[in-house]
Amino acid sequence: MKLFISITVLAILLLIGSSLWSKNTKEKAWVQNITGVVSTIVTDRNHVQTKVNYDSTPSVGGDHHPVWLGCNGDVYEEPVVEENAVHSLEHGAVWITYQPSITGEQFTMLDDKMAGYSFLSPYPEQDSPIMLTAWGVQLSVDSANDPRIDQFLTKYRQGPQTPEPGATCNAIPGGM
Amino acid sequence: MNYKKIKRHTLPLLAAFIIGIGVLVIDGQTSVNSVKPNAAEIGFAQDMSVHHQQAIEMSFLVRETSNDPDILGFAFDIINTQAAQRGMMLGWLDLWEQPFTTTQQPMMWMMEDMSMTDHQQMMNDFTPSAYMQGMATSEEMNTLTKFNGLDAEQLFLELMIRHHKSGVMMAEGVIKRSDNETVVRLAQAMINGQEAEIDYMKGLLLRY
């Protein structure tokens, strides 16, 4: 009986130990659930030199121009060509867009978030003040303070939805 | 040792075993570093990283001589993407504690259980003298090095289409033989990406 108790206690201690150890390891960013993210299955992804009619504003993916926009934290002050931006989404970038009416303070907060695999541009036609787009996924928020912005960036920059894992956000040398 | 004693030992050990399995099931996921790789997964990572390396080399060669913005951009894309994907696959091998290269004949991991018809198809489609099916031979690489301008661009596209076709075949080969979600996700991305690029290259080839 003594042996039974001691081994059971040992098993329980092992179980507690292993669960503590699990808590010490990093959460899996890819399985984190972010409220409000709209997912779309995108099947078209050919290179085209023509204008493309996208289903959403901003586009979440589809056929695109052979040249992608630099998306290593690049900040564009004017609206960008959508067909180029969609190619950056294919490379795993998160595209943050905003209505030009947001305050300077809000803009600065977004600007501060720019790093690898992300880019920022105004988008006057969009419905929400701030929108985040990666290939096949989109999130609308009202404020740059929204904690879901960082969650979205963490999950989707070169995230599991990326059509081309490992593709670069460096612009093609020579601007071509 | 009497029967009672065995029984006394067995029960708690069994309990500990079941709890242990439970922890593994809850905690474990079939991703790259939590399961032992099979021969196909190792072979794919080793062969595909060699295969990717040649695509990178061909892209550097054409960028030396081309002035066409489409070719320059496309080659730049291949160099970056395939170099990064190569690093991902070498990273798996590193975690698996497996050698980055192999002395085995290339693609044996997918030929061993291949049907005769599939095997014949593969032999018909690709150059047998290449190191690996679909790769450029050393003669072809020499020619690409010597060619300039339009000739180099055209040869680059022809070789890269063949190269991508065999890359797609190899990625399909590992998907059939793997249930590791990390491996399957990258292999599927290669299929989608390289098939789209084959279409794009066929369009570019019409100019020559």
Side-chain angles (χ1 to χ4, degrees):
Chain A
M1 197 59 196
K2 257 185 187 168
L3 191 66
F4 177 82
I5 292 169
S6 58
I7 292 183
T8 310
V9 166
L10 186 69
I12 290 167
L13 284 176
L14 276 173
L15 186 64
I16 293 167
S18 66
S19 68
L20 282 178
W21 183 77
S22 299
K23 273 181 193 153
N24 249 329
T25 60
K26 223 52 179 129
E27 283 282 333
K28 286 176 180 144
W30 284 7
V31 297
Q32 191 181 23
N33 198 28
I34 306 167
T35 317
V37 172
V38 177
S39 298
T40 315
I41 293 168
V42 183
T43 48
D44 297 339
R45 44 174 293 185
N46 290 315
H47 287 176
V48 293
Q49 310 259 9
T50 53
K51 197 84 196 134
V52 181
N53 285 318
Y54 294 111
D55 291 337
S56 53
T57 309
S59 168
V60 295
D63 290 344
H64 48 264
H65 192 271
V67 176
W68 61 94
L69 288 177
C71 42
N72 269 328
D74 294 68
V75 176
Y76 298 92
E77 283 169 11
E78 298 294 323
V80 295
V81 177
E82 194 122 10
E83 287 74 10
N84 297 123
V86 169
H87 197 159
S88 305
L89 299 182
E90 186 187 40
H91 283 205
V94 167
W95 181 18
I96 302 187
T97 51
Y98 59 90
Q99 288 172 343
S101 57
I102 64 166
T103 65
E105 192 191 353
Q106 288 277 303
F107 172 81
T108 305
M109 287 182 74
L110 296 177
D111 191 38
D112 285 347
K113 293 182 189 299
M114 284 297 107
Y117 289 104
S118 54
F119 63 115
L120 179 63
S121 76
Y123 203 115
E125 302 85 4
Q126 73 184 32
D127 288 335
S128 296
I130 296 164
M131 291 178 80
L132 288 84
T133 307
W135 188 272
V137 284
Q138 197 159 56
L139 175 69
S140 301
V141 295
D142 292 332
S143 160
N145 295 312
D146 198 308
R148 291 175 297 168
I149 294 178
D150 283 355
Q151 292 171 7
F152 193 95
L153 287 166
T154 304
K155 181 168 180 178
Y156 293 116
R157 280 183 302 194
Q158 273 278 314
Q161 84 299 338
T162 303
E164 289 182 350
T168 186
C169 259
N170 291 349
I172 302 166
M176 291 184 289
Chain B
M1 196 184 282
N2 63 35
Y3 170 74
K4 240 184 169 176
K5 204 169 178 183
I6 293 172
K7 206 175 166 190
R8 247 191 330 174
H9 278 86
T10 312
L11 206 66
L13 279 177
L14 197 68
F17 180 73
I18 290 167
I19 290 166
I21 294 289
V23 169
L24 282 179
V25 168
I26 293 161
D27 213 44
Q29 273 216 337
T30 32
S31 61
V32 105
N33 59 354
S34 59
V35 288
K36 275 194 174 171
N38 64 30
E41 289 156 353
I42 296 167
F44 172 75
Q46 290 169 334
D47 286 352
M48 192 61 104
S49 52
V50 173
H51 200 262
H52 269 41
Q53 186 57 57
Q54 194 188 52
I56 295 164
E57 194 183 346
M58 290 196 284
S59 301
F60 271 116
L61 286 174
V62 80
R63 275 184 63 87
E64 293 273 316
T65 175
S66 174
N67 290 313
D68 182 317
D70 291 330
I71 296 284
L72 289 172
F74 181 61
F76 181 78
D77 198 4
I78 289 183
I79 289 167
N80 282 284
T81 305
Q82 300 223 359
Q85 290 181 352
R86 199 171 169 270
M88 293 180 199
M89 292 182 287
L90 298 180
W92 301 344
L93 292 167
D94 209 354
L95 287 171
W96 292 336
E97 300 179 12
Q98 295 292 331
F100 287 8
T101 52
T102 175
T103 51
Q104 256 214 330
Q105 201 191 329
M107 290 161 106
M108 272 316 284
W109 56 271
M110 62 179 288
M111 285 193 276
E112 277 164 349
D113 57 356
M114 200 180 249
S115 74
M116 282 302 283
T117 30
D118 281 359
H119 194 260
Q120 197 54 50
Q121 183 68 38
M122 196 172 86
M123 289 306 184
N124 292 343
D125 284 354
F126 302 114
T127 327
S129 61
Y131 171 71
M132 202 182 297
Q133 306 297 328
M135 282 179 73
T137 62
S138 45
E139 291 78 23
E140 286 167 333
M141 289 302 282
N142 285 338
T143 312
L144 184 60
T145 311
K146 283 180 202 141
F147 275 9
N148 289 310
L150 299 181
D151 290 338
E153 291 167 7
Q154 186 179 351
L155 181 61
F156 165 79
L157 291 171
E158 287 165 356
L159 293 176
M160 194 63 83
I161 288 172
R162 198 179 76 204
H163 196 273
H164 272 26
K165 279 183 180 168
S166 69
V168 167
M169 187 186 65
M170 219 195 295
E172 286 169 346
V174 80
I175 288 176
K176 274 184 210 156
R177 294 165 179 83
S178 173
D179 55 7
N180 182 310
E181 61 178 62
T182 311
V183 174
V184 170
R185 187 189 311 110
L186 185 61
Q188 189 59 55
M190 285 175 187
I191 293 170
N192 300 343
Q194 297 195 16
E195 280 180 343
E197 287 182 357
I198 289 169
D199 288 343
Y200 179 60
M201 286 189 280
K202 283 180 176 166
L204 291 178
L205 256 186
L206 298 176
R207 300 174 183 176
Y208 299 93

